[in-house]
Amino acid sequence: MASHSDTLVVFFGATAGANGGKLGSDEREIILLVWQIVDLHEKKVGKLQRRLVKPDTLELTDQSKEETGLSVDDLYKAEPLDKVLQQFQQSVSAELKALGRSSYTLCVDGPLIIRQALHPEASKKNLVLPECFYSFVDVRKEFHTCCPNAGQVQDLTLPSMLEYVCIPELPLSEQVMGLKEVRSMVLLSLHILAEPYNHRFSCFEAVKYKLESGACSKTEPVDSETVIRARGLPWQSSDQDIARFFKGLNIAKGGVALCLNAQGRRNGEALVRFINQEHRDLALERHKHHMGSRYIEVYKATGEEFLKIAGGTSNEVAQFLSKENQVIIRMRGLPFTASPQDVLNFLGADSPVTDASDGLLFVKYPDGRPTGDAFVLFSCEEYALNALKKHKQILGKRYIELFRSTAAEVQQVLNRYMSTPLISTLPSSSMVPMPVLATPPYLTTGSTRDCVRLRGLPYTAAIEDILEFMGEHTIDIKPHGVHMVLNQQGRPSGDAFIQMRSADRAFMVAQKCHKKMMKDRYVEVFQCSTEEMSFVLMGGTLNRSGLSPPPCKLPCLAPPAYAAFPSPAMLSEAALYQPPLLATPRTPQPPHSPHPTHTLAYYPPQHHPAQFYMNMNMNYTAYYPSPPVSPSTMSYFASPPGSVALAAQQPHAQGHVASPMMPQHGALVRMQGLPYNAGVKDILSFFQGYQLQPDAILLLYNFSGQRSGEALITFPSEESARRAVAERANHPLSGLPVRLLVCCD
């Protein structure tokens, strides 16, 4: 209809709240619709039509009353939106018939009335909009096409456009809201249709009818300016519910990724990818709009975050998701012996699976063992609904759970299970029959920013590549100061930490080496502290918003001890940069041991060059847990047994006893249920009278860089910690009851 239209219907609307550039941002209902027909061939106009709309909630803001000149009494006798839309269709159809025209396209001043007001309201009221509201032209973009020197599209207004083409202002009799805007758009349209412009309306915009499902590859480029994060979703919400929340905005194919928590369940968040930045910016205006009775928070996100959730590399998954317009159902709790035929029989004839067994995808561990999960494709909504009726019915001796799912969730679940290591501990030291160092260096913690973090390393990069990358700055690296970070499979994660001799040297490296090329990739270099480095090496996370402690490694617990080995008499300079190899951890020492000794196994210097390079390329490092594939409301996740890492630094003095990495000072209390905007000052006020210092408070963050609602508080003594828990537990902070736990219980 759009490209063959011979008639424009100039269209305008106003709401009971914000109008103009903020139209639709406050969820207020439409109260006014105005329209007028323009014959593009005869350059004639039809009758100006104005209709009041009765909202479900008869309330108007003062700003709306002032701008529209309407009152509640004016709206009381008006028709509701569905009736007014029927009148719109009847009126336009009658005029088109009189003009002998067959089609028309809406013309609006900016997309807000269509995308941010009409479609969202119709969706909430379960109204089916006429087809004409799924295509329109924006008079600003059309004007910019024929008058590019008039300014940027986002800066254009009706008065400025009229002034640019020397059209005089409308008389005072037409300065009524709605009438003024429609008359101005009509005059502007007729002007650019005539000489010397002879413009043809061609910038047709579309509103998608429904969400398109599809797969996303991890190698696919995703523009960060098109992605948002929605938080506070009902746990049972599906991708269709999210698409309905953003109705009127065009979501990219396969652009809804529901996030899962550590247990594989939805955590109330989703990443949504739109077709361009304009739609993303409009989505941000729906911050704290409602889905049912819940308000949804909307924030900017990055393409990298979206790919972590929705991206996949499995050919099997790509083939499974290649069938378009399919409804995906997730089955959970299947017997491990269940075959494809068992699943097909369970679903029955009333819910046939697309392509029979080819429409089933069983989720397995890397070694081929079944997980009890499977995804099923159905060709239509009816078959999917029939399948969902079998929720919690019995297959074998187990009840089966069935849920709606998405392509992104398929990728996410497969990525998670396929990244699960087969062995949860390091290989024993007997696998590497080499001598190790005796005087093990230890890693101290501190806030001095004398370290740098390298991010985006090629996965084939070895320590020799890092030394070459550092160039002249290599001489400023501390002995044993290069630390490669590995992922859960023991492979390079693309990150490394380097300890420099001073903060000034670290600053110089970050300035001169940032975004310098290594092989075919540019590497980001950031200055950081030893404390931040040790948190990451111990399995914690470091992001723009702060630190999250390593899994199951709270500061009140001393790290486990490791076996010490005889040391060789001397080290070569090259050996100082070799990566560490941790021995299999022993059982942690009892709490009464006052000074646990921290030791670390190392490769010795090799006198033969070939042996030296062989060791460097082996990349044996501690087993570092990598972040999960989706953000979670949890502040951190459980790590595999023995996943601890200590990196190396030269001892301060011979015979000096290494202090613990995380020394125990007093006792820790964990706070849960904090408001997300609570800061250190709020917590200090909450514990007023307990002699706490600001540095005794550690706010925890989740993997998406947002506060998790938890904090760790260090009290001077266990007695004061227990007293605080007894006295302050379940007391409100900003209206929310706060839970307190003594961590050393």
Side-chain angles (χ1 to χ4, degrees):
M1 178 179 69
S3 59
H4 302 291
S5 297
D6 44 23
T7 311
L8 286 182
V9 176
V10 178
F11 190 78
F12 174 84
T15 71
N19 289 294
K22 286 293 183 179
L23 181 72
S25 63
D26 55 1
E27 292 187 281
R28 302 305 289 264
E29 297 172 85
I30 295 173
I31 59 171
L32 174 65
L33 292 178
V34 185
W35 65 90
Q36 189 171 22
I37 285 182
V38 178
D39 188 329
L40 296 178
H41 295 293
E42 300 294 333
K43 310 297 188 297
K44 295 180 180 179
V45 298
K47 183 180 178 182
L48 188 66
Q49 305 282 351
R50 183 174 185 265
R51 297 287 189 278
L52 300 183
V53 182
K54 183 179 181 180
D56 291 345
T57 304
L58 280 170
E59 290 182 3
L60 278 74
T61 63
D62 293 339
Q63 179 185 3
S64 178
K65 290 178 182 178
E66 181 180 349
E67 291 175 344
T68 62
L70 299 175
S71 65
V72 172
D73 293 336
D74 296 327
L75 302 176
Y76 186 76
K77 295 182 180 180
E79 297 284 354
L81 180 62
D82 57 336
K83 299 293 184 183
V84 174
L85 291 178
Q86 289 179 9
Q87 294 173 12
F88 167 82
Q89 277 191 289
Q90 293 168 359
S91 169
V92 171
S93 298
E95 288 196 59
L96 284 179
K97 188 175 181 180
L99 291 171
R101 304 301 177 196
S102 58
S103 62
Y104 65 93
T105 298
L106 294 182
C107 177
V108 294
D109 178 26
L112 298 184
I113 180 59
I114 301 294
R115 296 194 184 277
Q116 294 288 74
L118 192 58
H119 275 280
E121 184 173 339
S123 178
K124 289 180 181 178
K125 295 180 176 180
N126 294 316
L127 303 180
V128 179
L129 287 177
E131 187 180 355
C132 63
F133 291 106
Y134 287 87
S135 177
F136 63 92
V137 292
D138 184 347
V139 71
R140 300 184 192 186
K141 293 181 180 179
E142 299 291 342
F143 185 83
H144 183 264
T145 302
C146 62
C147 301
N149 296 327
Q152 297 296 321
V153 173
Q154 60 269 25
D155 298 329
L156 294 176
T157 62
L158 284 174
S160 69
M161 291 185 286
L162 291 172
E163 182 180 358
Y164 186 84
V165 294
C166 303
I167 296 178
E169 290 187 10
L170 296 173
L172 291 176
S173 60
E174 296 187 15
Q175 294 290 330
V176 179
M177 187 178 197
L179 301 180
K180 175 181 65 176
E181 285 79 6
V182 169
R183 288 291 299 142
S184 297
M185 283 190 279
V186 169
L187 290 173
L188 202 58
S189 300
L190 291 173
H191 190 83
I192 62 177
L193 285 169
E195 296 285 349
Y197 302 106
N198 295 319
H199 179 68
R200 290 190 54 155
F201 286 82
S202 57
C203 302
F204 296 95
E205 296 191 38
V207 179
K208 286 189 176 182
Y209 287 90
K210 63 179 182 178
L211 175 68
E212 298 177 272
S213 61
C216 178
S217 169
K218 281 191 179 294
T219 60
E220 181 179 339
V222 176
D223 185 0
S224 291
E225 298 302 319
T226 63
V227 183
I228 62 94
R229 179 184 297 278
R231 180 185 296 160
L233 299 166
W235 67 268
Q236 71 273 27
S237 58
S238 66
D239 56 344
Q240 298 295 333
D241 296 321
I242 295 169
R244 186 174 180 180
F245 176 80
F246 289 110
K247 186 67 175 176
L249 306 180
N250 292 346
I251 297 174
K253 184 177 180 180
V256 176
L258 294 163
C259 301
L260 306 181
N261 62 17
Q263 290 74 42
R265 301 179 185 275
R266 295 172 186 171
N267 66 1
E269 294 190 8
L271 291 167
V272 185
R273 177 188 178 192
F274 294 91
I275 60 170
N276 56 36
Q277 183 178 350
E278 178 187 359
H279 288 242
R280 191 284 308 266
D281 292 341
L282 292 177
L284 292 172
E285 292 294 329
R286 300 196 188 182
H287 179 59
K288 293 197 173 181
H289 282 204
H290 288 77
M291 180 184 289
S293 59
R294 297 176 65 110
Y295 72 82
I296 308 301
E297 299 174 5
V298 182
Y299 303 100
K300 289 183 180 180
T302 66
E304 182 181 0
E305 289 176 307
F306 182 83
L307 286 176
K308 283 182 180 178
I309 305 301
T313 56
S314 169
N315 292 331
E316 183 183 13
V317 177
Q319 184 177 357
F320 177 76
L321 297 174
S322 63
K323 305 175 182 67
E324 296 186 358
N325 300 319
Q326 299 290 310
V327 183
I328 305 175
I329 297 296
R330 180 180 179 182
M331 302 180 71
R332 192 164 62 196
L334 292 169
F336 295 144
T337 57
S339 66
Q341 191 59 48
D342 294 332
V343 175
L344 294 175
N345 293 339
F346 172 80
L347 293 171
D350 58 344
S351 48
V353 177
T354 302
D355 297 337
S357 59
D358 289 339
L360 297 175
L361 178 65
F362 288 90
V363 183
K364 299 179 180 179
Y365 289 107
D367 60 353
R369 290 181 295 116
T371 64
D373 278 31
F375 292 93
V376 190
L377 295 178
F378 295 98
S379 59
C380 66
E381 189 70 25
E382 179 186 355
Y383 295 159
L385 289 174
N386 291 337
L388 289 172
K389 293 176 183 177
K390 296 177 173 62
H391 179 59
K392 292 198 174 181
Q393 290 188 13
I394 302 297
L395 173 59
K397 295 183 179 180
R398 306 189 63 173
Y399 73 82
I400 310 302
E401 298 176 291
L402 290 95
F403 310 94
R404 288 184 178 274
S405 189
T406 66
E409 187 172 20
V410 176
Q411 298 279 24
Q412 204 173 161
V413 172
L414 266 293
N415 288 345
R416 173 163 300 177
Y417 278 114
M418 291 305 293
S419 66
T420 303
L422 298 177
I423 303 174
S424 60
T425 57
L426 289 172
S428 63
S429 57
S430 60
M431 295 176 64
V432 190
M434 299 182 183
V436 289
L437 293 182
T439 314
Y442 59 91
L443 184 65
T444 60
T445 59
S447 58
T448 304
R449 299 175 63 79
D450 57 354
C451 302
V452 291
R453 180 183 187 183
L454 275 59
R455 188 169 68 187
L457 295 169
Y459 295 124
T460 58
I463 292 184
E464 58 183 341
D465 299 311
I466 294 178
L467 298 180
E468 182 181 352
F469 174 81
M470 298 284 288
E472 60 182 310
H473 303 289
T474 303
I475 59 174
D476 297 320
I477 301 176
K478 287 184 179 181
H480 309 292
V482 179
H483 312 282
M484 302 284 286
V485 181
L486 304 187
N487 63 18
Q488 286 185 325
Q489 291 75 50
R491 302 189 185 99
S493 66
D495 279 27
F497 286 91
I498 300 176
Q499 292 176 274
M500 307 301 294
R501 295 190 182 276
S502 67
D504 292 339
R505 300 295 183 184
F507 175 78
M508 290 297 296
V509 171
Q511 292 294 311
K512 292 189 176 182
C513 296
H514 184 56
K515 294 197 174 180
K516 181 179 169 183
M517 299 299 293
M518 179 186 294
K519 297 184 179 179
D520 58 344
R521 300 185 64 172
Y522 74 83
V523 178
E524 298 175 290
V525 183
F526 307 100
Q527 188 180 9
C528 66
S529 68
T530 310
E531 180 184 27
E532 293 167 340
M533 178 184 71
S534 65
F535 264 65
V536 175
L537 295 180
M538 285 286 288
T541 58
L542 168 64
N543 49 48
R544 291 187 294 271
S545 304
L547 297 170
S548 290
C552 303
K553 297 290 177 288
L554 296 178
C556 64
L557 299 177
Y562 296 86
F565 300 88
S567 65
M570 184 177 294
L571 286 174
S572 68
E573 181 180 356
L576 297 178
Y577 301 112
Q578 295 191 39
L581 169 67
L582 278 180
T584 305
R586 291 182 176 180
T587 306
Q589 294 183 352
H592 64 265
S593 177
H595 299 290
T597 304
H598 301 278
T599 62
L600 185 60
Y602 272 82
Y603 290 118
Q606 302 293 325
H607 299 292
H608 194 281
Q611 291 176 320
F612 171 65
Y613 287 110
M614 176 190 70
N615 291 340
M616 288 178 61
N617 292 326
M618 289 177 75
N619 286 330
Y620 279 108
T621 317
Y623 184 97
Y624 302 127
S626 61
V629 294
S630 70
S632 168
T633 52
M634 299 289 290
S635 58
Y636 47 79
F637 295 83
S639 64
S643 63
V644 115
L646 294 175
Q649 193 178 22
Q650 201 172 23
H652 292 308
Q654 187 175 359
H656 178 75
V657 179
S659 60
M661 281 185 63
M662 307 189 79
Q664 180 175 351
H665 297 295
L668 272 184
V669 169
R670 185 187 186 97
M671 300 184 73
Q672 296 177 324
L674 291 171
Y676 291 115
N677 59 352
V680 173
K681 290 183 179 180
D682 301 311
I683 296 175
L684 287 174
S685 299
F686 182 82
F687 286 113
Q688 189 173 6
Y690 288 90
Q691 288 80 45
L692 293 178
Q693 299 299 321
D695 58 3
I697 297 170
L698 177 64
L699 293 169
L700 302 184
Y701 293 80
N702 59 27
F703 283 110
S704 56
Q706 293 138 357
R707 292 181 182 174
S708 65
E710 298 189 8
L712 296 175
I713 318 298
T714 305
F715 281 82
S717 65
E718 185 175 340
E719 179 184 357
S720 61
R722 294 189 183 279
R723 181 165 61 89
V725 170
E727 295 175 354
R728 302 296 297 165
N730 296 319
H731 279 228
L733 176 58
S734 299
L736 293 177
V738 177
R739 298 183 296 280
L740 302 176
L741 301 169
V742 179
C743 291
C744 50
D745 279 350

